Amino acid sequence: MRIALYEPDIAGNVGTILRTAACFGLGVDLIEPMGFPWGDRSMARAGMDYAREVDIVRHVDWDAFRAAARGRVVLATTRGATDLPQVRFDASDILLFGSESSGVPDHVHDAVYVRVRVPMRAGFRSLNVAASAAIMAAEGLRQHGWPLPPAAIIR
């Protein structure tokens, strides 16, 4: 299982997601352009030294990501048709999250395997992208018995 971020805007969110990915043993795909320079200090601060433990692949754009993707793409969206508890994840799924400011365009919505909505109380627009990524990744891993790899030593 991997996490993919479509044109992320906020370095701190990417850092937080890299930290989550490191703790869960997941790879991360970054679909450019990003709204900040790679290696931004706020990303490094949020990811701390965990980021070096993550298999990070940067893609120049959506088409490059699609050409490289080796699993079903599962999109987290507020326009999702399926609530998270109804989704059955595959161990090779790629969990896709849109940019904080604009989500993903329609052609990306149309190209994914399934669109998923994290259920929330009425009257709220959305969760932070890093929180959504952690929730969806945890559910995907839960369904597969938490197949976490052995812990690496983080110094």
Side-chain angles (χ1 to χ4, degrees), residues 19-85:
R19 184 174 181 161
T20 298
C23 290
F24 286 173
L26 305 176
V28 174
D29 293 282
L30 300 172
I31 303 165
E32 299 186 15
M34 294 186 286
F36 55 89
W38 176 249
D40 184 278
R41 289 173 58 175
S42 62
M43 180 182 66
R45 188 170 44 254
M48 296 174 43
D49 55 349
Y50 289 70
R52 70 172 178 251
E53 299 296 326
V54 179
D55 173 28
I56 300 169
V57 178
R58 293 170 60 192
H59 305 275
V60 296
D61 58 21
W62 171 251
D63 291 334
F65 166 75
R66 287 301 296 150
R70 297 291 176 253
R72 306 181 313 184
V73 178
V74 176
L75 175 64
T77 177
T78 56
R79 297 190 297 163
T82 306
D83 280 344
L84 178 61

Side-chain angles (χ1 to χ4, degrees), residues 98-150:
S99 74
E100 296 88 342
S101 63
S102 58
V104 299
D106 288 340
H107 75 275
V108 172
H109 262 267
D110 296 340
V112 301
Y113 172 74
V114 66
R115 294 181 296 275
V116 180
R117 178 183 171 278
V118 176
M120 299 178 296
R121 289 177 38 208
F124 292 88
R125 286 189 316 274
S126 66
L127 291 162
N128 173 277
V129 67
S132 293
I135 290 166
M136 284 188 50
E139 175 58 16
L141 289 170
R142 184 197 65 79
Q143 290 182 16
H144 291 279
W146 286 91
L148 301 178

